[in-house]
Amino acid sequence: MVSPLVRLIALAGLLALAGCTLTPPTTTAPRDDMPVGIQDSSPAHSLLASARNARSRGDTGAAGRYLERALSMAGAGEATVLYRELAELRLAEGKPRDAEGLALRALREAPANAEWRAGLWDILATARQRQGNTDGSEAARAEAEKLRGSQMGAR
Amino acid sequence: MSKNARRPLISRRLLWQLALILLVLVMLGVAWLDARVRQRFDSHQWQLPARVYARPVELYSGRVLAERHITQLLALLRYREQAGAPTPGSFSRQGNSYLIHTRAFHDSDGGEPARQIRLQLAGNQISSLSGADGARLPVARLEPMQIGSIHPGHSQDRILVRLADTPPMLHDMLLAVEDRQFYQHHGLSLRGLARAMVANLRAGGLTQGGSTLTQQLVKNFWLTRDRTLSRKLLEMPMAVLLELHYEKPQIIETYLNEVYLGQDGSRAIHGMGLGAQFYFGRPLNELEPHHFALLVGMLKGPSLYDPRRRPERAQARRDVVLNVAHEQGLLSDDALAAALARPLEVVPRGGGALYAFPAFIDLVRRQLARDYPPAVLSGEGLNIHSTLDVLAQLAAEDALARVLAQRDPQGDNQLNGAVVVTAPDQGDVLAIVADRQPRSAGFNRALDAVRPIGSLAKPAVVLTALERPKQYSLATLVADEPITVPLAHGDTWAPQNFDKESRGAIPMAEALAQSRNQAMASLGMEVGLEPLILTLKRLGVQGRIPAYPSIILGSHALTPFEVAVMYQPLATGGFRTPLRSITDVLDIAGQPLARYPVSADPVIEQGPAFLTQWAMIQVMRAGTGQRVLGQLPADLVVAGKTGTSDGYRDAWFAGFSGNHLAVVWIGRDDNQPAGVAGSSAALPVWGNLMAALPQRSLREDAPPGVEWVWMDADGQRRSAEGCQGARRYPMLVASIPEAASACGEDISRGGVRGWFRRLFD
């Protein structure tokens, strides 16, 4: 049994903190709009730009090498961007199987951002489609739609 | 006079016929020689070995970099310290600030120009990186270091240098000493020949050749090195033919690349380009007059004037060349005096990067042999871009050497070790150490030491269980109690714990973190040996794995490299990426021939992979790996597993961060008890090494399908924070039990209200 004095002190303390700590600390509200991207100050940033340049002039080989270099110096949260680029590159190179693996890898590294994840599921759907895996493709497409739906609902 | 007597002995007609035949024979001979000369010269069949390069070192602000490692790196690249770093390949240093004049290079990304970069170190990391103008540089690269040359079919080596890239001083010195009429004669120099004949008459034999550069080239290219008359007779017409067909610049360029300059074991050093590297450790265009003079002087006899074995004689010869250059107006008085005052400046043989990393080169050789026929490797001058990260390699060597120096300073206990470092993202093998003396090429422990992996097998047991989410979660209690498993032939298997004690029922996560043998044995027997074997195979273990119960505790033997393969999917959250030591193979013109792109093959479901990784993070936080924590940044999230084999024969540690995986083995080659344990011997090596590399944390946020759940101590019911014995685990949704403990039920039913009520009840 807790003494009345302690209860009073606890109640006063809780009232003082009311509004911000009423929920137990471990249950944070799920977010689905965490930022995704590579900061300007990151060393991976300039390499990503070089990769996009190389890709725009059709040099997918060089683009891949820039992305792999960037991966070696990517910070937390940046790898998903680079894996996504690599997956898109492999799709463009006509290698859907590799694209699928890399898109899954990007998903694993992805933050809680529904739109970003939905985009990755779209790539997966395309990669599976091009491998003739229609069921897998549809499942991926459905996953993307579900994520977009949940995002709409959240708004 | 008789009729016969009037006739000449040989008729004039016959003479004509003979002369004609002779002429035809000579013409045929000349035609044959001509064809030989042209064929060889046109095809330019240089015997060029395949060259292996490390990846260019990437420098960027924020990168971990110890001062001793940048010092070692610059020494391996043969950068020389010079105030103001005026030319490529030089650097200057003030305290922790470095000004580095990088060398230009060309690679498949286009390469980098030569430029000055300013690099500031603070607290073992690069605190800033800028150009000479002070503008911030996001990334800079140092040129790829040549770490090996592979020439299975022959033993010649050379670095081709174009005439346009040849320093004029070298060209002029060569002509001044060897052939002053080169641009005037047509292959033969009568003046030179006369001078040689006089000398030979005086000496009473053939001592001087009097050959032009063209003749010397012919001799090197097509003929033997003997000084015989018949060789001389062939050499002269061939030299003239060569001059008929080819221009002077072609001839001298070929000469510069063909000349023999010495021997490096079985490797013959040809051409000025390789000569510069072999003797001075630097590219030709960085050399100065006194270097050129030595190279030119050595042409008279590379063995006789070998600057390493006969430095005094070599220096005297060099000085003769310098004086000739001065007489010919190539050097001013001051320049001559300055050059004569310089020492030979020859680097020690084998001191460069070419022989520095034999264990890694061994891996490259094996991967090449798998993918290329020997003929392609033998002479086509392939450029092989490897994944070796020189800084990771130096850090790994350093880490192993330090720990072994503490545990076995004199080598009395015959302790040795191996380290494999990879980048799991790309599957790149960054470093291989196979000996406590890493420069010595011998038994490659990293690739060939097959040793029982001990507790390194335990994550595979946990993973096999977690893939059955309805049966197991990380909270499931497993029996850490004596267990006896009957074997064939009446034997039994009864594993002991490390501390010879049993703790009773403990959660699976704790069984892994504390590396409890009996708990793992009972879990392994429950999940079954065949499923465990399948898991090991999915993780990448090759070959037959016998279905003995002892494989649960790692009786199966693997090499450190194979362990790195097996841990790759655990490090990447379930993806198998083939380990590669090569990224690109380019032909001699720099055109890509083959590329080994990054791929990722999902072999484990994301959920179980995440849970297993999380359990391995707990090994580092609260288990057998925790003693390493002081060595690493406090906020860095890493995972791993210790391993020790029976009788303390093998100490293992395999662990990873978000971007580096490293496997360390320590033991004895004769497989005798070495008194080493994973946590005390291998783990400190791993910690030292990981602390010296740029790291990224593992992610701890749960992927879709995984939720954080407070579980009761019974491992079967949900609980809540604050309830006695409750622990929080990541769980697959399918594992989360319906039932909750009374305390947990209360809180979950009451939500926030219940939480309050509990406080006030």
Tab-separated table of all heavy atoms in Angstrom, chain A residues 1 7 14 22 41 43 65-66 68-69 71-75 83 90 97 101 104-105 108-110 117, chain B residues 58 60 108-109 136 139 141 425-426 572 575 580 584 595 597-598 600-601 610 696 699 704 756 761:
chain	number	residue	atom	x	y	z
A	1	MET	N	0.825	-1.209	0.000
A	1	MET	CA	0.000	0.000	0.000
A	1	MET	C	0.858	1.257	0.000
A	1	MET	O	1.859	1.353	0.691
A	1	MET	CB	-0.889	0.005	1.266
A	1	MET	CG	-2.132	-0.864	1.144
A	1	MET	SD	-3.364	-0.130	0.057
A	1	MET	CE	-3.228	-1.153	-1.369
A	7	ARG	N	1.125	9.320	-2.468
A	7	ARG	CA	0.120	9.446	-3.531
A	7	ARG	C	-0.058	10.895	-3.948
A	7	ARG	O	-0.121	11.218	-5.130
A	7	ARG	CB	-1.242	8.922	-3.051
A	7	ARG	CG	-1.327	7.428	-3.019
A	7	ARG	CD	-2.710	7.035	-2.666
A	7	ARG	NE	-2.711	5.714	-2.062
A	7	ARG	CZ	-3.785	5.140	-1.563
A	7	ARG	NH1	-4.934	5.783	-1.580
A	7	ARG	NH2	-3.739	3.945	-1.053
A	14	LEU	N	2.436	14.213	-11.477
A	14	LEU	CA	1.788	13.798	-12.716
A	14	LEU	C	0.981	14.925	-13.327
A	14	LEU	O	0.989	15.121	-14.543
A	14	LEU	CB	0.870	12.596	-12.449
A	14	LEU	CG	1.622	11.280	-12.280
A	14	LEU	CD1	0.719	10.229	-11.665
A	14	LEU	CD2	2.159	10.824	-13.632
A	22	LEU	N	1.496	11.271	-20.250
A	22	LEU	CA	0.454	10.416	-19.705
A	22	LEU	C	0.515	8.992	-20.251
A	22	LEU	O	0.152	8.048	-19.574
A	22	LEU	CB	-0.931	11.019	-19.953
A	22	LEU	CG	-1.314	12.102	-18.942
A	22	LEU	CD1	-2.719	12.577	-19.202
A	22	LEU	CD2	-1.187	11.618	-17.499
A	41	SER	N	25.480	17.314	-46.758
A	41	SER	CA	26.819	17.248	-46.162
A	41	SER	C	27.387	15.824	-46.183
A	41	SER	O	28.549	15.624	-45.885
A	41	SER	CB	26.744	17.726	-44.708
A	41	SER	OG	25.818	16.910	-44.001
A	43	PRO	N	29.063	12.451	-47.508
A	43	PRO	CA	29.946	12.149	-48.648
A	43	PRO	C	29.226	11.355	-49.736
A	43	PRO	O	29.618	11.403	-50.899
A	43	PRO	CB	31.064	11.321	-48.012
A	43	PRO	CG	30.535	10.829	-46.706
A	43	PRO	CD	29.536	11.850	-46.254
A	65	ARG	N	28.775	1.862	-60.284
A	65	ARG	CA	30.006	1.986	-59.488
A	65	ARG	C	29.929	3.155	-58.520
A	65	ARG	O	30.364	3.059	-57.385
A	65	ARG	CB	31.218	2.129	-60.406
A	65	ARG	CG	31.696	0.791	-60.939
A	65	ARG	CD	32.909	0.967	-61.820
A	65	ARG	NE	32.523	1.416	-63.136
A	65	ARG	CZ	32.198	0.599	-64.131
A	65	ARG	NH1	32.219	-0.693	-63.944
A	65	ARG	NH2	31.852	1.062	-65.307
A	66	TYR	N	29.359	4.270	-58.966
A	66	TYR	CA	29.208	5.418	-58.051
A	66	TYR	C	28.329	5.031	-56.861
A	66	TYR	O	28.609	5.376	-55.717
A	66	TYR	CB	28.576	6.611	-58.761
A	66	TYR	CG	29.541	7.389	-59.639
A	66	TYR	CD1	29.311	7.535	-61.002
A	66	TYR	CD2	30.666	7.995	-59.088
A	66	TYR	CE1	30.182	8.247	-61.805
A	66	TYR	CE2	31.546	8.713	-59.884
A	66	TYR	CZ	31.301	8.831	-61.244
A	66	TYR	OH	32.169	9.543	-62.017
A	68	GLU	N	27.786	2.053	-55.622
A	68	GLU	CA	28.475	1.120	-54.730
A	68	GLU	C	29.487	1.860	-53.859
A	68	GLU	O	29.650	1.542	-52.678
A	68	GLU	CB	29.164	0.023	-55.546
A	68	GLU	CG	28.160	-0.949	-56.134
A	68	GLU	CD	28.803	-1.996	-57.031
A	68	GLU	OE1	30.012	-2.247	-56.886
A	68	GLU	OE2	28.089	-2.543	-57.877
A	69	ARG	N	30.156	2.839	-54.431
A	69	ARG	CA	31.092	3.642	-53.623
A	69	ARG	C	30.324	4.384	-52.542
A	69	ARG	O	30.759	4.461	-51.399
A	69	ARG	CB	31.821	4.656	-54.505
A	69	ARG	CG	32.982	4.068	-55.274
A	69	ARG	CD	33.621	5.128	-56.154
A	69	ARG	NE	34.128	6.257	-55.397
A	69	ARG	CZ	34.372	7.457	-55.907
A	69	ARG	NH1	34.157	7.682	-57.184
A	69	ARG	NH2	34.846	8.426	-55.163
A	71	LEU	N	27.574	3.562	-51.174
A	71	LEU	CA	27.130	2.623	-50.141
A	71	LEU	C	28.203	2.423	-49.079
A	71	LEU	O	27.901	2.278	-47.903
A	71	LEU	CB	26.830	1.259	-50.772
A	71	LEU	CG	25.400	0.913	-51.089
A	71	LEU	CD1	25.341	-0.487	-51.687
A	71	LEU	CD2	24.515	0.968	-49.857
A	72	SER	N	29.463	2.419	-49.522
A	72	SER	CA	30.541	2.156	-48.570
A	72	SER	C	30.710	3.294	-47.571
A	72	SER	O	31.362	3.133	-46.560
A	72	SER	CB	31.855	1.887	-49.307
A	72	SER	OG	32.347	3.090	-49.837
A	73	MET	N	30.151	4.439	-47.859
A	73	MET	CA	30.301	5.546	-46.905
A	73	MET	C	28.949	6.106	-46.442
A	73	MET	O	28.885	7.155	-45.812
A	73	MET	CB	31.170	6.653	-47.497
A	73	MET	CG	30.737	7.141	-48.841
A	73	MET	SD	31.937	8.303	-49.571
A	73	MET	CE	33.139	7.205	-50.269
A	74	ALA	N	27.882	5.359	-46.735
A	74	ALA	CA	26.543	5.851	-46.385
A	74	ALA	C	26.323	5.830	-44.880
A	74	ALA	O	26.767	4.912	-44.202
A	74	ALA	CB	25.488	4.978	-47.068
A	75	GLY	N	25.644	6.827	-44.392
A	75	GLY	CA	25.286	6.864	-42.980
A	75	GLY	C	23.954	6.154	-42.750
A	75	GLY	O	23.314	5.683	-43.703
A	83	TYR	N	20.206	1.710	-52.266
A	83	TYR	CA	19.707	0.416	-52.744
A	83	TYR	C	18.558	0.601	-53.735
A	83	TYR	O	18.436	-0.126	-54.700
A	83	TYR	CB	19.246	-0.452	-51.579
A	83	TYR	CG	20.379	-1.208	-50.929
A	83	TYR	CD1	20.708	-1.017	-49.599
A	83	TYR	CD2	21.128	-2.117	-51.670
A	83	TYR	CE1	21.760	-1.713	-49.016
A	83	TYR	CE2	22.169	-2.811	-51.101
A	83	TYR	CZ	22.486	-2.605	-49.780
A	83	TYR	OH	23.518	-3.292	-49.211
A	90	ARG	N	19.207	-1.729	-62.027
A	90	ARG	CA	19.190	-3.115	-62.508
A	90	ARG	C	17.949	-3.368	-63.373
A	90	ARG	O	18.012	-4.099	-64.353
A	90	ARG	CB	19.201	-4.093	-61.338
A	90	ARG	CG	20.443	-4.040	-60.483
A	90	ARG	CD	21.655	-4.680	-61.163
A	90	ARG	NE	22.789	-4.639	-60.265
A	90	ARG	CZ	23.722	-3.685	-60.257
A	90	ARG	NH1	23.688	-2.719	-61.162
A	90	ARG	NH2	24.703	-3.703	-59.390
A	97	ARG	N	15.817	-9.882	-61.661
A	97	ARG	CA	16.065	-10.707	-60.477
A	97	ARG	C	16.952	-9.949	-59.475
A	97	ARG	O	16.676	-9.905	-58.281
A	97	ARG	CB	16.758	-12.007	-60.901
A	97	ARG	CG	16.800	-13.032	-59.801
A	97	ARG	CD	17.539	-14.290	-60.276
A	97	ARG	NE	18.373	-14.799	-59.205
A	97	ARG	CZ	17.907	-15.441	-58.138
A	97	ARG	NH1	16.622	-15.660	-58.008
A	97	ARG	NH2	18.722	-15.877	-57.195
A	101	GLY	N	16.041	-8.383	-55.485
A	101	GLY	CA	16.853	-8.523	-54.260
A	101	GLY	C	17.234	-7.174	-53.690
A	101	GLY	O	17.158	-6.942	-52.476
A	104	LEU	N	14.278	-5.367	-52.111
A	104	LEU	CA	13.990	-5.934	-50.786
A	104	LEU	C	14.986	-5.400	-49.754
A	104	LEU	O	14.638	-5.115	-48.611
A	104	LEU	CB	14.064	-7.461	-50.837
A	104	LEU	CG	12.857	-8.160	-51.457
A	104	LEU	CD1	13.146	-9.645	-51.702
A	104	LEU	CD2	11.629	-8.018	-50.554
A	105	ARG	N	16.226	-5.289	-50.199
A	105	ARG	CA	17.278	-4.763	-49.320
A	105	ARG	C	16.957	-3.302	-48.962
A	105	ARG	O	17.129	-2.890	-47.813
A	105	ARG	CB	18.585	-4.856	-50.099
A	105	ARG	CG	19.826	-4.752	-49.346
A	105	ARG	CD	20.219	-6.057	-48.692
A	105	ARG	NE	21.502	-5.838	-48.030
A	105	ARG	CZ	21.652	-5.205	-46.882
A	105	ARG	NH1	20.603	-4.793	-46.229
A	105	ARG	NH2	22.842	-5.006	-46.361
A	108	ARG	N	14.318	-3.256	-46.383
A	108	ARG	CA	14.821	-3.586	-45.051
A	108	ARG	C	15.467	-2.356	-44.397
A	108	ARG	O	15.384	-2.163	-43.195
A	108	ARG	CB	15.835	-4.731	-45.154
A	108	ARG	CG	16.491	-5.098	-43.843
A	108	ARG	CD	15.463	-5.637	-42.851
A	108	ARG	NE	15.901	-5.544	-41.467
A	108	ARG	CZ	15.542	-4.563	-40.634
A	108	ARG	NH1	14.752	-3.586	-41.026
A	108	ARG	NH2	15.960	-4.546	-39.396
A	109	GLU	N	16.088	-1.528	-45.199
A	109	GLU	CA	16.784	-0.354	-44.666
A	109	GLU	C	15.861	0.861	-44.592
A	109	GLU	O	16.262	1.920	-44.114
A	109	GLU	CB	17.996	0.000	-45.551
A	109	GLU	CG	19.048	-1.097	-45.666
A	109	GLU	CD	19.835	-1.296	-44.385
A	109	GLU	OE1	19.978	-0.326	-43.606
A	109	GLU	OE2	20.303	-2.429	-44.146
A	110	ALA	N	14.629	0.705	-45.087
A	110	ALA	CA	13.755	1.877	-45.212
A	110	ALA	C	13.208	2.320	-43.861
A	110	ALA	O	12.886	1.489	-43.019
A	110	ALA	CB	12.603	1.549	-46.152
A	117	ARG	N	8.050	3.420	-48.832
A	117	ARG	CA	7.926	1.965	-48.871
A	117	ARG	C	7.022	1.522	-50.028
A	117	ARG	O	7.299	0.534	-50.698
A	117	ARG	CB	7.337	1.453	-47.556
A	117	ARG	CG	8.338	1.486	-46.423
A	117	ARG	CD	7.709	1.017	-45.120
A	117	ARG	NE	8.737	0.814	-44.123
A	117	ARG	CZ	9.416	-0.328	-43.972
A	117	ARG	NH1	9.145	-1.367	-44.718
A	117	ARG	NH2	10.361	-0.425	-43.067
B	58	GLU	N	39.306	6.082	-50.185
B	58	GLU	CA	38.355	7.197	-50.195
B	58	GLU	C	38.560	8.033	-48.938
B	58	GLU	O	38.529	7.500	-47.831
B	58	GLU	CB	36.911	6.677	-50.198
B	58	GLU	CG	36.611	5.667	-51.284
B	58	GLU	CD	35.771	6.247	-52.397
B	58	GLU	OE1	35.622	7.491	-52.462
B	58	GLU	OE2	35.267	5.458	-53.216
B	60	TYR	N	37.108	11.291	-46.809
B	60	TYR	CA	35.976	12.218	-46.687
B	60	TYR	C	35.859	12.628	-45.239
B	60	TYR	O	36.298	11.908	-44.331
B	60	TYR	CB	34.673	11.588	-47.194
B	60	TYR	CG	34.378	10.227	-46.642
B	60	TYR	CD1	33.625	10.059	-45.479
B	60	TYR	CD2	34.877	9.085	-47.264
B	60	TYR	CE1	33.375	8.798	-44.972
B	60	TYR	CE2	34.631	7.816	-46.753
B	60	TYR	CZ	33.876	7.681	-45.602
B	60	TYR	OH	33.638	6.439	-45.094
B	108	SER	N	37.501	2.963	-64.072
B	108	SER	CA	36.228	2.824	-64.773
B	108	SER	C	35.233	3.931	-64.425
B	108	SER	O	34.248	4.111	-65.117
B	108	SER	CB	35.628	1.446	-64.490
B	108	SER	OG	35.767	1.140	-63.129
B	109	ASP	N	35.495	4.685	-63.366
B	109	ASP	CA	34.626	5.842	-63.076
B	109	ASP	C	35.116	7.094	-63.785
B	109	ASP	O	34.554	8.163	-63.587
B	109	ASP	CB	34.657	6.217	-61.592
B	109	ASP	CG	34.230	5.101	-60.701
B	109	ASP	OD1	33.682	4.132	-61.226
B	109	ASP	OD2	34.454	5.213	-59.495
B	136	ARG	N	35.654	23.255	-49.620
B	136	ARG	CA	35.363	21.939	-49.057
B	136	ARG	C	35.268	20.890	-50.174
B	136	ARG	O	34.666	21.131	-51.220
B	136	ARG	CB	34.034	22.007	-48.300
B	136	ARG	CG	33.550	20.693	-47.777
B	136	ARG	CD	32.171	20.814	-47.132
B	136	ARG	NE	31.612	19.483	-46.941
B	136	ARG	CZ	30.844	18.847	-47.826
B	136	ARG	NH1	30.513	19.443	-48.952
B	136	ARG	NH2	30.391	17.637	-47.591
B	139	VAL	N	34.502	14.346	-51.311
B	139	VAL	CA	35.244	13.080	-51.340
B	139	VAL	C	36.507	13.262	-52.170
B	139	VAL	O	36.479	13.968	-53.176
B	139	VAL	CB	34.421	11.950	-52.020
B	139	VAL	CG1	35.117	10.611	-51.863
B	139	VAL	CG2	33.022	11.855	-51.451
B	141	ARG	N	40.023	10.818	-53.616
B	141	ARG	CA	40.559	9.454	-53.656
B	141	ARG	C	42.049	9.471	-53.926
B	141	ARG	O	42.539	10.300	-54.695
B	141	ARG	CB	39.874	8.652	-54.767
B	141	ARG	CG	38.432	8.326	-54.446
B	141	ARG	CD	37.854	7.332	-55.414
B	141	ARG	NE	37.748	7.842	-56.775
B	141	ARG	CZ	37.417	7.095	-57.816
B	141	ARG	NH1	37.192	5.805	-57.659
B	141	ARG	NH2	37.321	7.621	-59.018
B	425	ASP	N	27.177	-5.072	-47.264
B	425	ASP	CA	26.299	-4.435	-48.250
B	425	ASP	C	26.626	-4.874	-49.666
B	425	ASP	O	25.753	-5.147	-50.463
B	425	ASP	CB	26.473	-2.907	-48.198
B	425	ASP	CG	25.709	-2.304	-47.039
B	425	ASP	OD1	24.734	-2.930	-46.597
B	425	ASP	OD2	26.095	-1.215	-46.583
B	426	GLN	N	27.926	-4.869	-49.985
B	426	GLN	CA	28.326	-5.169	-51.352
B	426	GLN	C	28.900	-6.570	-51.502
B	426	GLN	O	29.177	-7.010	-52.605
B	426	GLN	CB	29.389	-4.176	-51.841
B	426	GLN	CG	28.963	-2.736	-51.828
B	426	GLN	CD	29.419	-2.034	-50.558
B	426	GLN	OE1	29.471	-2.617	-49.481
B	426	GLN	NE2	29.748	-0.768	-50.671
B	572	THR	N	23.137	-8.883	-42.996
B	572	THR	CA	22.384	-8.047	-43.937
B	572	THR	C	20.875	-8.172	-43.741
B	572	THR	O	20.117	-7.678	-44.557
B	572	THR	CB	22.698	-8.455	-45.389
B	572	THR	OG1	22.453	-9.856	-45.513
B	572	THR	CG2	24.125	-8.158	-45.759
B	575	PHE	N	20.043	-11.437	-46.488
B	575	PHE	CA	20.425	-11.471	-47.906
B	575	PHE	C	21.781	-12.130	-48.097
B	575	PHE	O	22.728	-11.839	-47.369
B	575	PHE	CB	20.477	-10.058	-48.478
B	575	PHE	CG	19.130	-9.411	-48.496
B	575	PHE	CD1	18.676	-8.707	-47.399
B	575	PHE	CD2	18.307	-9.548	-49.596
B	575	PHE	CE1	17.418	-8.131	-47.399
B	575	PHE	CE2	17.040	-8.970	-49.605
B	575	PHE	CZ	16.593	-8.258	-48.508
B	580	ARG	N	32.989	-11.110	-53.004
B	580	ARG	CA	33.818	-10.887	-54.187
B	580	ARG	C	35.115	-10.221	-53.770
B	580	ARG	O	35.132	-9.393	-52.846
B	580	ARG	CB	33.079	-10.029	-55.223
B	580	ARG	CG	32.643	-8.699	-54.677
B	580	ARG	CD	31.933	-7.826	-55.715
B	580	ARG	NE	31.769	-6.480	-55.165
B	580	ARG	CZ	31.271	-5.450	-55.822
B	580	ARG	NH1	30.860	-5.596	-57.061
B	580	ARG	NH2	31.167	-4.270	-55.255
B	584	ASP	N	36.090	-5.267	-61.024
B	584	ASP	CA	36.146	-5.052	-62.474
B	584	ASP	C	37.405	-5.678	-63.056
B	584	ASP	O	38.445	-5.686	-62.414
B	584	ASP	CB	36.243	-3.552	-62.796
B	584	ASP	CG	34.993	-2.805	-62.416
B	584	ASP	OD1	34.046	-2.825	-63.208
B	584	ASP	OD2	34.972	-2.219	-61.325
B	595	ARG	N	32.510	-7.423	-65.153
B	595	ARG	CA	32.116	-6.648	-63.993
B	595	ARG	C	31.433	-7.598	-63.029
B	595	ARG	O	30.712	-8.499	-63.440
B	595	ARG	CB	31.158	-5.552	-64.475
B	595	ARG	CG	30.381	-4.874	-63.410
B	595	ARG	CD	30.781	-3.401	-63.324
B	595	ARG	NE	30.114	-2.778	-62.189
B	595	ARG	CZ	30.686	-2.563	-61.024
B	595	ARG	NH1	31.928	-2.905	-60.816
B	595	ARG	NH2	30.031	-2.008	-60.037
B	597	PRO	N	28.915	-7.187	-60.427
B	597	PRO	CA	28.056	-6.203	-59.774
B	597	PRO	C	27.493	-6.721	-58.447
B	597	PRO	O	27.448	-7.931	-58.210
B	597	PRO	CB	26.930	-5.983	-60.780
B	597	PRO	CG	26.901	-7.195	-61.603
B	597	PRO	CD	28.233	-7.870	-61.525
B	598	VAL	N	27.071	-5.777	-57.643
B	598	VAL	CA	26.456	-6.117	-56.366
B	598	VAL	C	25.094	-6.767	-56.612
B	598	VAL	O	24.333	-6.322	-57.459
B	598	VAL	CB	26.258	-4.840	-55.531
B	598	VAL	CG1	25.359	-5.098	-54.340
B	598	VAL	CG2	27.597	-4.323	-55.057
B	600	ALA	N	21.822	-9.084	-54.360
B	600	ALA	CA	21.333	-9.452	-53.038
B	600	ALA	C	20.246	-10.495	-53.216
B	600	ALA	O	19.252	-10.235	-53.869
B	600	ALA	CB	20.781	-8.224	-52.321
B	601	ASP	N	20.488	-11.659	-52.663
B	601	ASP	CA	19.577	-12.782	-52.839
B	601	ASP	C	18.931	-13.078	-51.485
B	601	ASP	O	19.621	-13.481	-50.561
B	601	ASP	CB	20.421	-13.973	-53.318
B	601	ASP	CG	19.555	-15.057	-53.905
B	601	ASP	OD1	18.359	-14.811	-54.089
B	601	ASP	OD2	20.088	-16.149	-54.147
B	610	PHE	N	15.719	-10.447	-38.593
B	610	PHE	CA	15.821	-9.313	-37.666
B	610	PHE	C	15.943	-9.801	-36.222
B	610	PHE	O	16.756	-9.298	-35.442
B	610	PHE	CB	14.599	-8.396	-37.818
B	610	PHE	CG	14.570	-7.284	-36.823
B	610	PHE	CD1	15.361	-6.156	-37.001
B	610	PHE	CD2	13.792	-7.378	-35.678
B	610	PHE	CE1	15.360	-5.133	-36.061
B	610	PHE	CE2	13.786	-6.359	-34.734
B	610	PHE	CZ	14.574	-5.236	-34.923
B	696	ARG	N	28.729	2.168	-39.290
B	696	ARG	CA	27.326	2.559	-39.298
B	696	ARG	C	26.608	1.580	-38.368
B	696	ARG	O	26.896	0.382	-38.402
B	696	ARG	CB	26.798	2.413	-40.721
B	696	ARG	CG	25.407	2.940	-40.936
B	696	ARG	CD	25.077	2.977	-42.426
B	696	ARG	NE	24.584	1.701	-42.901
B	696	ARG	CZ	24.916	1.163	-44.068
B	696	ARG	NH1	25.774	1.763	-44.867
B	696	ARG	NH2	24.419	0.011	-44.436
B	699	ARG	N	20.371	-1.404	-37.492
B	699	ARG	CA	19.069	-0.800	-37.198
B	699	ARG	C	18.332	-1.639	-36.177
B	699	ARG	O	18.322	-2.861	-36.252
B	699	ARG	CB	18.263	-0.701	-38.488
B	699	ARG	CG	18.964	0.212	-39.474
B	699	ARG	CD	18.064	0.529	-40.588
B	699	ARG	NE	16.752	0.941	-40.060
B	699	ARG	CZ	15.857	1.562	-40.803
B	699	ARG	NH1	16.112	1.825	-42.040
B	699	ARG	NH2	14.706	1.903	-40.288
B	704	PRO	N	8.308	-4.438	-40.731
B	704	PRO	CA	6.911	-4.863	-40.746
B	704	PRO	C	6.815	-6.337	-40.369
B	704	PRO	O	7.658	-7.135	-40.752
B	704	PRO	CB	6.492	-4.649	-42.201
B	704	PRO	CG	7.443	-3.630	-42.730
B	704	PRO	CD	8.721	-3.820	-41.995
B	756	PHE	N	-2.370	3.917	-13.943
B	756	PHE	CA	-2.608	4.822	-12.812
B	756	PHE	C	-3.093	4.044	-11.598
B	756	PHE	O	-2.626	4.235	-10.485
B	756	PHE	CB	-3.683	5.865	-13.176
B	756	PHE	CG	-3.098	7.085	-13.824
B	756	PHE	CD1	-3.113	7.245	-15.199
B	756	PHE	CD2	-2.536	8.078	-13.031
B	756	PHE	CE1	-2.584	8.363	-15.780
B	756	PHE	CE2	-2.003	9.195	-13.627
B	756	PHE	CZ	-2.020	9.348	-15.004
B	761	ASP	N	-3.149	1.774	-6.135
B	761	ASP	CA	-3.735	0.677	-5.360
B	761	ASP	C	-2.830	0.301	-4.182
B	761	ASP	O	-1.628	0.282	-4.332
B	761	ASP	CB	-3.913	-0.551	-6.267
B	761	ASP	CG	-5.222	-0.402	-7.029
B	761	ASP	OD1	-5.981	0.513	-6.699
B	761	ASP	OD2	-5.437	-1.200	-7.972
